[in-house]
Amino acid sequence: MRKIVISTGGGDAPGLNAVIFAVVNSASRLGWEVYGSRHGYKGFLDPDELVRLTPDDVEGITSTGGTILGTTNKGNPFAMPVPNLAGEVQIVDVSERVMASFKRMGFYCHIAIGGDGSLEIAHRFAKMGMPVIGVPKTIDNDLEATDRTFGFDTAVATATEALDKLHSTAKSHDRVMVVEVMGRESGWIALYSGISGGADVILLPELPFNMEAVCRKISENELHGKHYSIVVVAEGAKAEGGKVLDRGKGEAGRAEVVLGGIGEWVAEEIRQQIGKDTRSLVLGHLQRGGSPTTFDRLLALRFGGAAVRMAEVGQFDHMVAWTPPTMSAVPLEAAIRCRKHVDLNSDKVLTARSIGICLGDKE
Ligand code: F6P
């Protein structure tokens, strides 16, 4: 009888529970025992944070958002923030403790569900001798090795619905609405929701934008009798010659700065340059919440099932990837090497241009 452990790390994404459901049920049918490590690697450091997961425990969770195991983006065991006796936070390497506990518990393998940061950590543990299988998660869809990550489709649906709703209020007030969506280095959410939600302007991290081009598009709308406009901007987009806007480092132990502010910046520029009544909003974590779409549920269930099949044959230090029409196993090292960016020559970008959407460049 084999014992496996599963963890969820980094920002949550709709579909995490569906992966857990698939792993628990697939593994249990093989006669294996499944454990869940709560809040990333905490279950390896504190026995109270390690929970046994049976098919009964996960019944009905496929349709739910979040993760029943909890998650964290400041739980890297190689650089863990730990408060000392003086109440100061120190960054400590607890990876050896994680390894020792993994061995002591007699686990056969670890299925780590996460984005690039969590998969990099998983790969470091693989190099230390932990049999690990990665499952790709992120609403940003920015992992090169897999055609899709789960969570993205739900985030796009949420953003598209928000854009649909903004049309009527923008039109009633003759306003420009600027919507900031997630997407640190890749503009997938902005592009997909912007095209589907009838945006006039989409600004991507992949293409530094020119405010004159943005304002020209809005002014052209006016000339054609359309007195409102919708601008979608990815949080990681930046103006030509400008920089990505952030809100600082955030909590101790997180690897990335907290992005934000570009939507309001763009709104202010439009206000100043062409005098339009402008409002901005940040969709933020709404995009990470809620029930996963059918697409995300199915993808997440397929990832979970495939991860257990990889465990059965001992294919460790690999990530399960969707390479349509099949699932495949990609070495973790390759999976974390490159980010997937929007191809500016892809048919989606060409479609956006063909239907008159401005991408903030002079074209
Ligand atoms: O990587 C996913 C993501 O949703 C990014 O788009 C965003 O910048 C980040 O997570 C936000 O993370 P947090 O929950 O720590 O604010």
Side-chain angles (χ1 to χ4, degrees), residues 11-12 73 116 137-140 142 182-184 189 235 251 254 256-259 285 288:
D12 67 344
N73 48 19
D116 57 325
K137 162 246 60 161
T138 164
I139 66 161
D140 291 357
D142 58 0
M182 284 188 174
R184 300 183 74 85
I189 297 177
E235 61 185 354
E251 311 86 357
R254 38 176 309 143
E256 293 168 320
V257 291
V258 180
L259 295 189
H285 293 79
R288 294 231 302 253

PDB file of all heavy atoms in Angstrom, residues 11-12 73 116 137-140 142 182-184 189 235 251 254 256-259 285 288, ligand 1:
ATOM      1  N   GLY A  11      -0.969  31.440  -5.342  1.00  0.00           N
ATOM      2  CA  GLY A  11      -2.329  31.992  -5.349  1.00  0.00           C
ATOM      3  C   GLY A  11      -3.340  30.918  -5.719  1.00  0.00           C
ATOM      4  O   GLY A  11      -3.027  30.017  -6.498  1.00  0.00           O
ATOM      5  N   ASP A  12      -4.535  30.991  -5.162  1.00  0.00           N
ATOM      6  CA  ASP A  12      -5.513  29.958  -5.497  1.00  0.00           C
ATOM      7  C   ASP A  12      -6.057  30.176  -6.915  1.00  0.00           C
ATOM      8  O   ASP A  12      -5.826  31.223  -7.528  1.00  0.00           O
ATOM      9  CB  ASP A  12      -6.648  29.902  -4.462  1.00  0.00           C
ATOM     10  CG  ASP A  12      -7.511  31.144  -4.461  1.00  0.00           C
ATOM     11  OD1 ASP A  12      -7.084  32.173  -5.030  1.00  0.00           O
ATOM     12  OD2 ASP A  12      -8.622  31.096  -3.905  1.00  0.00           O
ATOM     13  N   ASN A  73       1.318  32.153  -0.560  1.00  0.00           N
ATOM     14  CA  ASN A  73       2.403  32.539  -1.468  1.00  0.00           C
ATOM     15  C   ASN A  73       3.597  33.071  -0.682  1.00  0.00           C
ATOM     16  O   ASN A  73       4.444  33.772  -1.208  1.00  0.00           O
ATOM     17  CB  ASN A  73       1.930  33.526  -2.547  1.00  0.00           C
ATOM     18  CG  ASN A  73       1.127  34.651  -1.964  1.00  0.00           C
ATOM     19  OD1 ASN A  73       1.215  34.909  -0.754  1.00  0.00           O
ATOM     20  ND2 ASN A  73       0.347  35.319  -2.779  1.00  0.00           N
ATOM     21  N   ASP A 116       4.322  28.762 -11.456  1.00  0.00           N
ATOM     22  CA  ASP A 116       5.768  28.677 -11.692  1.00  0.00           C
ATOM     23  C   ASP A 116       6.582  28.650 -10.397  1.00  0.00           C
ATOM     24  O   ASP A 116       7.523  27.859 -10.266  1.00  0.00           O
ATOM     25  CB  ASP A 116       6.239  29.801 -12.615  1.00  0.00           C
ATOM     26  CG  ASP A 116       5.883  31.169 -12.063  1.00  0.00           C
ATOM     27  OD1 ASP A 116       4.816  31.286 -11.441  1.00  0.00           O
ATOM     28  OD2 ASP A 116       6.672  32.108 -12.238  1.00  0.00           O
ATOM     29  N   LYS A 137      -1.071  25.132 -12.288  1.00  0.00           N
ATOM     30  CA  LYS A 137      -2.200  25.987 -11.900  1.00  0.00           C
ATOM     31  C   LYS A 137      -1.815  27.444 -12.014  1.00  0.00           C
ATOM     32  O   LYS A 137      -0.723  27.804 -11.606  1.00  0.00           O
ATOM     33  CB  LYS A 137      -2.580  25.652 -10.452  1.00  0.00           C
ATOM     34  CG  LYS A 137      -3.396  26.675  -9.747  1.00  0.00           C
ATOM     35  CD  LYS A 137      -2.711  27.375  -8.574  1.00  0.00           C
ATOM     36  CE  LYS A 137      -1.474  28.132  -8.866  1.00  0.00           C
ATOM     37  NZ  LYS A 137      -1.076  29.128  -7.863  1.00  0.00           N
ATOM     38  N   THR A 138      -2.626  28.239 -12.611  1.00  0.00           N
ATOM     39  CA  THR A 138      -2.544  29.700 -12.497  1.00  0.00           C
ATOM     40  C   THR A 138      -3.604  30.312 -13.392  1.00  0.00           C
ATOM     41  O   THR A 138      -3.786  29.879 -14.543  1.00  0.00           O
ATOM     42  CB  THR A 138      -1.172  30.299 -12.887  1.00  0.00           C
ATOM     43  OG1 THR A 138      -1.346  31.707 -13.085  1.00  0.00           O
ATOM     44  CG2 THR A 138      -0.565  29.733 -14.133  1.00  0.00           C
ATOM     45  N   ILE A 139      -4.294  31.312 -12.858  1.00  0.00           N
ATOM     46  CA  ILE A 139      -5.306  31.962 -13.701  1.00  0.00           C
ATOM     47  C   ILE A 139      -4.618  32.740 -14.817  1.00  0.00           C
ATOM     48  O   ILE A 139      -5.238  33.074 -15.804  1.00  0.00           O
ATOM     49  CB  ILE A 139      -6.236  32.894 -12.888  1.00  0.00           C
ATOM     50  CG1 ILE A 139      -5.483  34.098 -12.313  1.00  0.00           C
ATOM     51  CG2 ILE A 139      -6.984  32.135 -11.802  1.00  0.00           C
ATOM     52  CD1 ILE A 139      -6.405  35.235 -11.912  1.00  0.00           C
ATOM     53  N   ASP A 140      -3.318  33.025 -14.664  1.00  0.00           N
ATOM     54  CA  ASP A 140      -2.614  33.835 -15.666  1.00  0.00           C
ATOM     55  C   ASP A 140      -2.305  33.057 -16.956  1.00  0.00           C
ATOM     56  O   ASP A 140      -1.964  33.658 -17.970  1.00  0.00           O
ATOM     57  CB  ASP A 140      -1.289  34.365 -15.094  1.00  0.00           C
ATOM     58  CG  ASP A 140      -1.504  35.417 -14.009  1.00  0.00           C
ATOM     59  OD1 ASP A 140      -2.664  35.762 -13.741  1.00  0.00           O
ATOM     60  OD2 ASP A 140      -0.506  35.883 -13.430  1.00  0.00           O
ATOM     61  N   ASP A 142       0.234  31.340 -17.834  1.00  0.00           N
ATOM     62  CA  ASP A 142       1.525  31.762 -18.389  1.00  0.00           C
ATOM     63  C   ASP A 142       2.624  30.697 -18.311  1.00  0.00           C
ATOM     64  O   ASP A 142       3.798  31.030 -18.286  1.00  0.00           O
ATOM     65  CB  ASP A 142       1.992  33.066 -17.708  1.00  0.00           C
ATOM     66  CG  ASP A 142       2.121  32.925 -16.188  1.00  0.00           C
ATOM     67  OD1 ASP A 142       1.850  31.830 -15.669  1.00  0.00           O
ATOM     68  OD2 ASP A 142       2.497  33.911 -15.530  1.00  0.00           O
ATOM     69  N   MET A 182      -5.986  40.780 -13.988  1.00  0.00           N
ATOM     70  CA  MET A 182      -4.720  40.140 -13.599  1.00  0.00           C
ATOM     71  C   MET A 182      -3.926  39.701 -14.830  1.00  0.00           C
ATOM     72  O   MET A 182      -4.476  39.584 -15.921  1.00  0.00           O
ATOM     73  CB  MET A 182      -4.984  38.986 -12.636  1.00  0.00           C
ATOM     74  CG  MET A 182      -5.305  39.465 -11.231  1.00  0.00           C
ATOM     75  SD  MET A 182      -5.383  38.126 -10.038  1.00  0.00           S
ATOM     76  CE  MET A 182      -5.579  39.052  -8.507  1.00  0.00           C
ATOM     77  N   GLY A 183      -2.679  39.426 -14.617  1.00  0.00           N
ATOM     78  CA  GLY A 183      -1.781  39.057 -15.704  1.00  0.00           C
ATOM     79  C   GLY A 183      -0.474  39.797 -15.507  1.00  0.00           C
ATOM     80  O   GLY A 183      -0.343  40.957 -15.901  1.00  0.00           O
ATOM     81  N   ARG A 184       0.457  39.145 -14.830  1.00  0.00           N
ATOM     82  CA  ARG A 184       1.698  39.835 -14.456  1.00  0.00           C
ATOM     83  C   ARG A 184       2.600  40.068 -15.651  1.00  0.00           C
ATOM     84  O   ARG A 184       3.032  41.170 -15.909  1.00  0.00           O
ATOM     85  CB  ARG A 184       2.464  39.012 -13.405  1.00  0.00           C
ATOM     86  CG  ARG A 184       1.702  38.771 -12.130  1.00  0.00           C
ATOM     87  CD  ARG A 184       2.568  38.030 -11.144  1.00  0.00           C
ATOM     88  NE  ARG A 184       3.577  38.903 -10.586  1.00  0.00           N
ATOM     89  CZ  ARG A 184       3.382  39.702  -9.533  1.00  0.00           C
ATOM     90  NH1 ARG A 184       2.229  39.702  -8.919  1.00  0.00           N
ATOM     91  NH2 ARG A 184       4.341  40.463  -9.079  1.00  0.00           N
ATOM     92  N   ILE A 189      -5.535  36.961 -19.931  1.00  0.00           N
ATOM     93  CA  ILE A 189      -6.882  37.294 -19.426  1.00  0.00           C
ATOM     94  C   ILE A 189      -7.378  38.565 -20.113  1.00  0.00           C
ATOM     95  O   ILE A 189      -8.531  38.641 -20.559  1.00  0.00           O
ATOM     96  CB  ILE A 189      -6.880  37.475 -17.889  1.00  0.00           C
ATOM     97  CG1 ILE A 189      -6.486  36.171 -17.199  1.00  0.00           C
ATOM     98  CG2 ILE A 189      -8.251  37.926 -17.389  1.00  0.00           C
ATOM     99  CD1 ILE A 189      -6.375  36.281 -15.669  1.00  0.00           C
ATOM    100  N   GLU A 235      -2.580  44.008 -15.436  1.00  0.00           N
ATOM    101  CA  GLU A 235      -1.839  44.647 -14.336  1.00  0.00           C
ATOM    102  C   GLU A 235      -0.348  44.820 -14.653  1.00  0.00           C
ATOM    103  O   GLU A 235       0.304  45.717 -14.129  1.00  0.00           O
ATOM    104  CB  GLU A 235      -1.994  43.830 -13.044  1.00  0.00           C
ATOM    105  CG  GLU A 235      -1.440  42.409 -13.163  1.00  0.00           C
ATOM    106  CD  GLU A 235      -1.681  41.528 -11.949  1.00  0.00           C
ATOM    107  OE1 GLU A 235      -2.177  42.014 -10.927  1.00  0.00           O
ATOM    108  OE2 GLU A 235      -1.350  40.319 -12.042  1.00  0.00           O
ATOM    109  N   GLU A 251       3.576  41.155   1.955  1.00  0.00           N
ATOM    110  CA  GLU A 251       3.912  40.416   3.171  1.00  0.00           C
ATOM    111  C   GLU A 251       5.323  39.828   3.090  1.00  0.00           C
ATOM    112  O   GLU A 251       5.795  39.494   2.011  1.00  0.00           O
ATOM    113  CB  GLU A 251       2.920  39.268   3.400  1.00  0.00           C
ATOM    114  CG  GLU A 251       1.463  39.649   3.297  1.00  0.00           C
ATOM    115  CD  GLU A 251       0.901  39.611   1.882  1.00  0.00           C
ATOM    116  OE1 GLU A 251       1.651  39.334   0.912  1.00  0.00           O
ATOM    117  OE2 GLU A 251      -0.293  39.880   1.748  1.00  0.00           O
ATOM    118  N   ARG A 254       7.043  36.750   0.557  1.00  0.00           N
ATOM    119  CA  ARG A 254       6.542  36.550  -0.798  1.00  0.00           C
ATOM    120  C   ARG A 254       7.634  36.900  -1.798  1.00  0.00           C
ATOM    121  O   ARG A 254       8.454  37.786  -1.573  1.00  0.00           O
ATOM    122  CB  ARG A 254       5.242  37.266  -1.129  1.00  0.00           C
ATOM    123  CG  ARG A 254       4.987  38.598  -0.624  1.00  0.00           C
ATOM    124  CD  ARG A 254       3.706  39.224  -1.099  1.00  0.00           C
ATOM    125  NE  ARG A 254       3.496  39.204  -2.518  1.00  0.00           N
ATOM    126  CZ  ARG A 254       2.327  39.022  -3.089  1.00  0.00           C
ATOM    127  NH1 ARG A 254       1.263  38.826  -2.352  1.00  0.00           N
ATOM    128  NH2 ARG A 254       2.197  39.034  -4.394  1.00  0.00           N
ATOM    129  N   GLU A 256       7.184  37.827  -5.007  1.00  0.00           N
ATOM    130  CA  GLU A 256       6.889  38.835  -6.024  1.00  0.00           C
ATOM    131  C   GLU A 256       6.292  40.094  -5.413  1.00  0.00           C
ATOM    132  O   GLU A 256       5.602  40.027  -4.395  1.00  0.00           O
ATOM    133  CB  GLU A 256       5.875  38.272  -7.023  1.00  0.00           C
ATOM    134  CG  GLU A 256       6.418  37.132  -7.852  1.00  0.00           C
ATOM    135  CD  GLU A 256       5.320  36.403  -8.609  1.00  0.00           C
ATOM    136  OE1 GLU A 256       4.231  36.213  -8.029  1.00  0.00           O
ATOM    137  OE2 GLU A 256       5.558  36.042  -9.764  1.00  0.00           O
ATOM    138  N   VAL A 257       6.509  41.219  -6.068  1.00  0.00           N
ATOM    139  CA  VAL A 257       5.855  42.447  -5.611  1.00  0.00           C
ATOM    140  C   VAL A 257       4.364  42.358  -5.943  1.00  0.00           C
ATOM    141  O   VAL A 257       3.951  41.581  -6.809  1.00  0.00           O
ATOM    142  CB  VAL A 257       6.449  43.714  -6.289  1.00  0.00           C
ATOM    143  CG1 VAL A 257       7.847  43.986  -5.814  1.00  0.00           C
ATOM    144  CG2 VAL A 257       6.380  43.599  -7.816  1.00  0.00           C
ATOM    145  N   VAL A 258       3.564  43.148  -5.245  1.00  0.00           N
ATOM    146  CA  VAL A 258       2.121  43.189  -5.510  1.00  0.00           C
ATOM    147  C   VAL A 258       1.893  44.214  -6.625  1.00  0.00           C
ATOM    148  O   VAL A 258       2.189  45.398  -6.443  1.00  0.00           O
ATOM    149  CB  VAL A 258       1.347  43.616  -4.239  1.00  0.00           C
ATOM    150  CG1 VAL A 258      -0.153  43.650  -4.510  1.00  0.00           C
ATOM    151  CG2 VAL A 258       1.676  42.694  -3.063  1.00  0.00           C
ATOM    152  N   LEU A 259       1.436  43.740  -7.768  1.00  0.00           N
ATOM    153  CA  LEU A 259       1.220  44.666  -8.889  1.00  0.00           C
ATOM    154  C   LEU A 259      -0.092  45.425  -8.714  1.00  0.00           C
ATOM    155  O   LEU A 259      -1.005  44.967  -8.038  1.00  0.00           O
ATOM    156  CB  LEU A 259       1.191  43.889 -10.211  1.00  0.00           C
ATOM    157  CG  LEU A 259       2.482  43.188 -10.630  1.00  0.00           C
ATOM    158  CD1 LEU A 259       2.355  42.648 -12.043  1.00  0.00           C
ATOM    159  CD2 LEU A 259       3.683  44.122 -10.536  1.00  0.00           C
ATOM    160  N   HIS A 285      -9.110  40.049  -7.128  1.00  0.00           N
ATOM    161  CA  HIS A 285      -9.273  38.650  -6.731  1.00  0.00           C
ATOM    162  C   HIS A 285     -10.635  38.068  -7.073  1.00  0.00           C
ATOM    163  O   HIS A 285     -10.830  36.858  -6.901  1.00  0.00           O
ATOM    164  CB  HIS A 285      -8.951  38.493  -5.247  1.00  0.00           C
ATOM    165  CG  HIS A 285      -7.503  38.752  -4.970  1.00  0.00           C
ATOM    166  ND1 HIS A 285      -6.996  40.020  -4.892  1.00  0.00           N
ATOM    167  CD2 HIS A 285      -6.459  37.899  -4.835  1.00  0.00           C
ATOM    168  CE1 HIS A 285      -5.687  39.952  -4.690  1.00  0.00           C
ATOM    169  NE2 HIS A 285      -5.332  38.673  -4.652  1.00  0.00           N
ATOM    170  N   ARG A 288     -10.139  35.244  -9.224  1.00  0.00           N
ATOM    171  CA  ARG A 288      -9.635  33.979  -8.678  1.00  0.00           C
ATOM    172  C   ARG A 288     -10.726  33.187  -7.958  1.00  0.00           C
ATOM    173  O   ARG A 288     -10.498  32.049  -7.530  1.00  0.00           O
ATOM    174  CB  ARG A 288      -8.483  34.265  -7.707  1.00  0.00           C
ATOM    175  CG  ARG A 288      -7.253  34.862  -8.381  1.00  0.00           C
ATOM    176  CD  ARG A 288      -6.004  34.111  -8.034  1.00  0.00           C
ATOM    177  NE  ARG A 288      -5.759  34.076  -6.630  1.00  0.00           N
ATOM    178  CZ  ARG A 288      -4.805  34.772  -5.996  1.00  0.00           C
ATOM    179  NH1 ARG A 288      -4.006  35.554  -6.682  1.00  0.00           N
ATOM    180  NH2 ARG A 288      -4.637  34.656  -4.716  1.00  0.00           N
TER     181      ARG A 288
HETATM  182  O1  F6P B   1      -0.295  34.665 -10.428  1.00  0.00           O
HETATM  183  C1  F6P B   1      -1.629  34.780 -10.220  1.00  0.00           C
HETATM  184  C2  F6P B   1      -2.004  36.113  -9.676  1.00  0.00           C
HETATM  185  O2  F6P B   1      -3.385  36.095  -9.666  1.00  0.00           O
HETATM  186  C3  F6P B   1      -1.413  37.320 -10.426  1.00  0.00           C
HETATM  187  O3  F6P B   1      -2.077  37.627 -11.603  1.00  0.00           O
HETATM  188  C4  F6P B   1      -1.499  38.407  -9.405  1.00  0.00           C
HETATM  189  O4  F6P B   1      -0.571  39.421  -9.647  1.00  0.00           O
HETATM  190  C5  F6P B   1      -1.179  37.666  -8.160  1.00  0.00           C
HETATM  191  O5  F6P B   1      -1.585  36.329  -8.350  1.00  0.00           O
HETATM  192  C6  F6P B   1      -1.851  38.259  -6.946  1.00  0.00           C
HETATM  193  O6  F6P B   1      -1.443  37.548  -5.819  1.00  0.00           O
HETATM  194  P1  F6P B   1      -1.916  37.853  -4.342  1.00  0.00           P
HETATM  195  O7  F6P B   1      -3.069  36.945  -4.045  1.00  0.00           O
HETATM  196  O8  F6P B   1      -0.766  37.529  -3.508  1.00  0.00           O
HETATM  197  O9  F6P B   1      -2.339  39.274  -4.245  1.00  0.00           O
END
